[in-house]
Amino acid sequence: MLPTENHQRYDGVTPSTKFASNSFAKSHNHAIVRNRKPMRNLAMTDNSSSAIIGQSRSLRQCVERADAVALTDATVLILGESGVGKELIARRIHERSRRARQPLVVVNCAAVPRDLFESEFFGHVKGAFSGATRDRKGRLETAHQGTLLLDEVGEIPPELQGKLLRALQQMSFERVGDDQTRQVDVRVIAATNRCLADDAASGRFRPDLYYRLSTFPIEVPPLRERADDIGMLSDHILAEIAGRLRRKPPRLSKQQVRQLCAYDWPGNIRELRNVLERVIILGSADLDAVLPPAPKPRAAALPRTPTETVDGDYVTADEVLSFERNNLIAALEVAKWRVSGKGGAAELLRMNPSTLASRLKALDIQRPAADSLYLRIGGRATITALARDLLGRMQADPQVGRFWSDRSIVGIRQEEKLLIQYLCSELGGPTRYAGRDMVSAHAHLPITASDWRVFLQYLERTFEALGLDQGSRRSLQAAVGQLEPSIVTTS
């Protein structure tokens, strides 16, 4: 049986009826998706419906990245273990974007039956198949001018990924049983607890779809890495559950909070919520009676940068230096290029200012000029998002995608790194590019004038997605235009 128009999910979760801010819900109720999953995975210190509770450094960094990308239309990939609150981060991005008054449509990709995939995403017309008794909009069309959240995107079967990629690439589709092409304007956010980079490398997930989705990745930290938040988060959850159950919320002692902090929480905030609900139901002050046994050894978590070494694994000296250089630059940009003092990079990195200054000199990191295009467009984070978005669009294109058709995911990721380094250097960034010359790297490729026009079209779409101002766009277009005579084949 096909889902009706009133259902926005396949996961069978009942609608959420209570929000952190009733005033926000009343003024934005047209943007609230029906049958939404209760917002219970993560909690925050504001009054929006995506309330996120916590003050740990890792959570603050995650939220800051979400707030920064919310102002653009860039595609976001939210990574994190099950139960950490990926959907809450997605809702925060939507609610702080220019699309906040339009729908947020959530699709649990793992729950969409294969034979209903096209109908679910693209819709169908009456008579398209047995049981299609009326025309029906798909999720893409429902999300027009709003946001489409692809939850558990890593669970889409490989044979269906190409159909989704084409629709996201062109922002157009045909309903099942119809030959009319429909255009949409949708901002895409994807979420997964899988490592899509590894899945793309192994062939389980399409590399072109991976790069199309990973323009701006955000990793939500697991609860075990934000133990400082457990006390505050527990009080918030206890008050919420007690209110729902019409009971007085218990107060946790310092010893009980320490006991909660000592637990590993393999199920993250979802598991914490379940434990605290048992505390209220049983009226037990003994956490040993409600805490599960110590968890079994954890499976490999999502890889970080640089990957933690294990027996028989290693990273090269160049990779270590590259990570250190990028890490120092990231801290300097957060600190607005202040090395010492309160809020300076040295404080953020927990380093002695003289030690940091010495490392900056050794790694030849220099503060960019105030009027540099590098700083004007937002530094390395914006340039990284630009490179990923542009590469993702071009790899998914049927014409220019041929240049990547025989490339491995490792080769594509290396190309992305070199492109980011090159752009940072050329736009006046803090380091000088020392990789392969970009002109010679493209000289042997049969890049035609038609290919160049496609590239320029996608470049403009990337500018729009990232919300770059017209002045920055013109400067970037001028810099790119200088490369055309050396790259485009005239014969």
Side-chain angles (χ1 to χ4, degrees), residues 153-154 156 158 161 196 199-207 209-210 213:
V153 69
I156 299 178
Q161 293 169 14
L196 287 193
D199 285 350
S202 67
R204 187 187 180 282
F205 199 83
R206 289 183 61 127
L209 180 56
Y210 165 68
L213 296 174

Side-chain angles (χ1 to χ4, degrees), residues 372-386:
S372 67
L373 190 53
Y374 176 90
L375 288 183
R376 281 163 49 198
I377 68 175
R380 185 179 178 87
T382 299
I383 292 172
T384 298
L386 186 153

Side-chain angles (χ1 to χ4, degrees), residues 49-95:
S49 62
S50 296
I52 300 175
I53 302 297
Q55 298 178 345
S56 62
R57 181 182 176 188
S58 60
L59 182 64
R60 289 201 313 269
Q61 290 175 338
C62 171
V63 171
E64 287 169 1
R65 286 180 63 81
D67 289 348
V69 77
L71 303 176
T72 75
D73 271 347
T75 303
V76 180
L77 177 62
I78 304 177
L79 304 164
E81 298 173 8
S82 178
V84 295
K86 298 184 289 295
E87 186 175 330
L88 275 179
I89 294 296
R91 292 187 184 280
R92 182 178 178 92
I93 293 171
H94 172 74
E95 290 168 359

Side-chain angles (χ1 to χ4, degrees), residues 3 107 114 129 134 138 140 175 203 246 269 282 325 374 383 413 415 426 438 445 472 487:
V107 181
R114 295 189 183 208
F129 48 83
R134 61 183 178 86
L140 268 172
R175 290 181 180 179
R246 298 181 180 180
I269 299 172
L282 297 175
R325 184 179 291 109
Y374 176 90
I383 292 172
R413 293 175 77 177
E415 178 180 346
E426 289 297 302
M438 283 293 168
L445 298 175
S472 297
I487 290 178

Side-chain angles (χ1 to χ4, degrees), residues 9 119 206 270 345 379 384 387 412 427 484:
R9 299 186 67 96
S119 174
R206 289 183 61 127
R270 184 177 296 124
T384 298
I412 294 173
L427 300 181
E484 181 180 3

